[in-house]
Amino acid sequence: MRVPADHPGVAELFAVLAYGEISAFYRLADDARMSPSLQGRVAFASMAAAEMSHFETLHAALTARGVEIYAAMEPYRRALDAYHASTNPSNWHESLVKAYVGDGIAADFYREIAGTLAPEVAEVVREVLAETGHSEFVVHEVREAVRHSAADKDRLMLWGRRLLGEAITQAQYVMAQREDLTDLVIAATGDLADIAALFDRMQLAHADRMAVLGLH
Amino acid sequence: MRVPADHPGVAELFAVLAYGEISAFYRLADDARMSPSLQGRVAFASMAAAEMSHFETLHAALTARGVEIYAAMEPYRRALDAYHASTNPSNWHESLVKAYVGDGIAADFYREIAGTLAPEVAEVVREVLAETGHSEFVVHEVREAVRHSAADKDRLMLWGRRLLGEAITQAQYVMAQREDLTDLVIAATGDLADIAALFDRMQLAHADRMAVLGLH
């Protein structure tokens, strides 16, 4: 069953995605301070810039629906800020893993939902979930780091698990925030068993991403 | 007299501009912390993102010349970091004025030089000096602030003067850093009297920008 384009949860979905872009921008800019090289600072700045281009897309989509973006984002600030506060990297390698894995988890979740939305809505969602680039840089840096240290590898594997756990916790909190959004997610995924299957698929995708980083 | 496209100072010019974009990105991201509103944080993030798109243009231009961008930027880090360290805003209004006026001063300087460069080089310089947008937001915020407080207006006028002074100090330092760049600037501007005239024009343009902000 497709969720119609005029479902009131669509604006909510765009709003939570928009605040997600802003908060990812500032998280990347902050975390880049830990980079030992200018290359790392440039890679994170480029990823952050890509988030802002996605934000503009969502801004335009919300404006086209007559929705004021700042008011619409407000209800989601607390949950997304809480996610970042609870997963504050303590070193550069944790920042790299978070940039790669954290974005991926969010993208999986929204992409699953997008599959059941009206095509014009799904297109916006897919566009803003496109790769922010520079993942090659991240993959290379993390693989190098864990190749030389089993202790670092263990720590980063635990870190990845914590990122997944916090993301799922906050995703459930975000969904529970607003009735229209909850309604859209349920309409999109089906029943509770389907939601459980969705989280299972997210765990598998997460494990694949960790493996790409050499964390398996 | 036109400066030829293969003048060795051209790569130096692109490199100093490129590091300027990176450092402006992180300065905006940092200063945005002082914003009392999410609108301010979004405006600064959008400006920062535009700096990164200019960085990509310079990266491509340097790569096309066979120049490795990170090595090329290295000599300019100290001077540009020193400019930002010496003009660290202490509140949100100072951040707004710096974002508007500081970018403008740099753009005036480089645009004057661009006028005498080979067309294909001038085009790159003009492209990366294009407005980063969102200046309407900045102008509105500053005008509102100074309309209500003569004390704030006085402080921000002093702040603007300091930004100009520090920018000119650091510009002279940057130019003196590298022989090829000094040579390009002299070839572009003419003799010492012409350089003095250039700084006079920059002061006038600065005064105009301050006036737009209600600071006159």
Side-chain angles (χ1 to χ4, degrees):
Chain A
M1 184 193 92
R2 285 210 176 266
V3 178
D6 62 353
H7 188 293
V10 170
E12 299 288 335
L13 179 66
F14 287 171
V16 66
L17 282 166
Y19 190 70
E21 306 289 356
I22 297 296
S23 78
F25 175 94
Y26 281 107
R27 175 257 297 175
L28 287 164
D30 277 1
D31 291 353
R33 277 165 216 277
M34 287 184 275
S35 169
S37 70
L38 187 53
Q39 279 85 338
R41 284 169 71 81
V42 169
F44 269 38
S46 297
M47 287 190 266
E51 311 277 7
M52 286 314 293
S53 127
H54 298 159
F55 174 83
E56 295 303 337
T57 301
L58 292 159
H59 193 170
L62 281 166
T63 305
R65 288 172 172 259
V67 176
E68 205 283 306
I69 191 168
Y70 292 99
M73 290 192 296
E74 205 52 50
Y76 302 109
R77 286 179 76 164
R78 232 176 66 191
L80 289 176
D81 290 351
Y83 165 71
H84 287 302
S86 68
T87 56
N88 197 21
S90 59
N91 58 51
W92 178 235
H93 292 140
E94 287 187 2
S95 301
L96 289 165
V97 172
K98 182 175 173 182
Y100 188 77
V101 160
D103 263 23
I105 297 166
D108 286 341
F109 176 68
Y110 294 119
R111 216 175 273 124
E112 286 265 2
I113 293 173
T116 63
L117 301 176
E120 65 268 39
V121 176
E123 198 190 327
V124 172
V125 175
R126 289 211 187 87
E127 186 182 334
V128 303
L129 296 178
E131 278 276 334
T132 48
H134 291 263
S135 58
E136 267 175 60
F137 172 85
V138 173
V139 169
H140 177 263
E141 294 281 298
V142 177
R143 288 186 81 99
E144 278 302 294
V146 302
R147 210 156 57 97
H148 299 297
S149 165
D152 281 351
K153 183 176 167 176
D154 288 346
R155 269 193 291 271
L156 290 176
M157 286 188 70
L158 280 174
W159 174 243
R161 200 170 304 160
R162 192 166 130 212
L163 290 171
L164 180 67
E166 290 289 343
I168 289 179
T169 302
Q170 294 302 332
Q172 288 167 335
Y173 185 76
V174 163
M175 280 194 284
Q177 278 301 87
R178 306 281 283 186
E179 219 173 279
D180 289 337
L181 187 62
T182 316
D183 195 58
L184 178 142
V185 172
I186 290 170
T189 50
D191 59 16
L192 282 178
D194 293 325
I195 294 186
L198 181 156
F199 283 124
D200 284 348
R201 285 194 297 278
M202 285 173 65
Q203 282 202 338
L204 290 175
H206 172 73
D208 288 347
R209 264 189 303 270
M210 292 290 280
V212 170
L213 295 174
L215 297 169
H216 56 105
Chain B
M1 186 192 89
R2 285 210 175 266
V3 177
D6 62 354
H7 188 292
V10 170
E12 299 287 334
L13 179 66
F14 288 170
V16 66
L17 283 165
Y19 189 69
E21 306 289 356
I22 297 295
S23 79
F25 175 94
Y26 281 107
R27 176 255 298 173
L28 287 164
D30 278 359
D31 291 354
R33 276 166 218 278
M34 287 184 274
S35 169
S37 70
L38 188 53
Q39 280 85 340
R41 284 170 71 80
V42 169
F44 268 39
S46 297
M47 288 190 268
E51 311 276 7
M52 287 313 294
S53 127
H54 297 158
F55 174 83
E56 295 302 338
T57 301
L58 292 160
H59 193 171
L62 281 166
T63 304
R65 287 171 173 261
V67 176
E68 205 283 304
I69 190 166
Y70 292 99
M73 291 192 295
E74 204 54 48
Y76 302 109
R77 285 179 76 165
R78 231 177 67 191
L80 289 176
D81 289 351
Y83 165 70
H84 287 302
S86 68
T87 56
N88 196 20
S90 58
N91 59 49
W92 177 235
H93 292 139
E94 287 188 1
S95 301
L96 289 165
V97 172
K98 182 175 174 184
Y100 188 78
V101 160
D103 262 23
I105 297 167
D108 286 341
F109 176 69
Y110 293 118
R111 215 173 275 125
E112 287 264 2
I113 292 173
T116 64
L117 301 177
E120 64 269 39
V121 176
E123 199 191 326
V124 172
V125 175
R126 290 211 186 87
E127 186 182 335
V128 303
L129 296 177
E131 278 276 335
T132 49
H134 290 264
S135 57
E136 267 174 60
F137 173 84
V138 173
V139 170
H140 177 264
E141 293 281 297
V142 177
R143 288 187 80 100
E144 277 301 294
V146 302
R147 210 157 57 99
H148 298 297
S149 163
D152 281 352
K153 182 175 168 178
D154 289 347
R155 268 193 291 269
L156 290 176
M157 286 187 71
L158 280 175
W159 174 242
R161 201 170 303 162
R162 192 166 130 212
L163 291 171
L164 180 67
E166 290 289 343
I168 289 179
T169 301
Q170 294 303 332
Q172 288 168 334
Y173 186 76
V174 164
M175 281 195 281
Q177 279 300 89
R178 307 282 283 186
E179 220 174 278
D180 289 338
L181 187 61
T182 315
D183 194 59
L184 179 141
V185 172
I186 290 170
T189 51
D191 58 16
L192 282 179
D194 293 325
I195 294 186
L198 181 156
F199 282 124
D200 284 348
R201 286 194 297 276
M202 284 173 66
Q203 283 201 339
L204 290 175
H206 173 72
D208 288 347
R209 264 189 303 270
M210 292 290 281
V212 170
L213 295 174
L215 298 169
H216 56 102

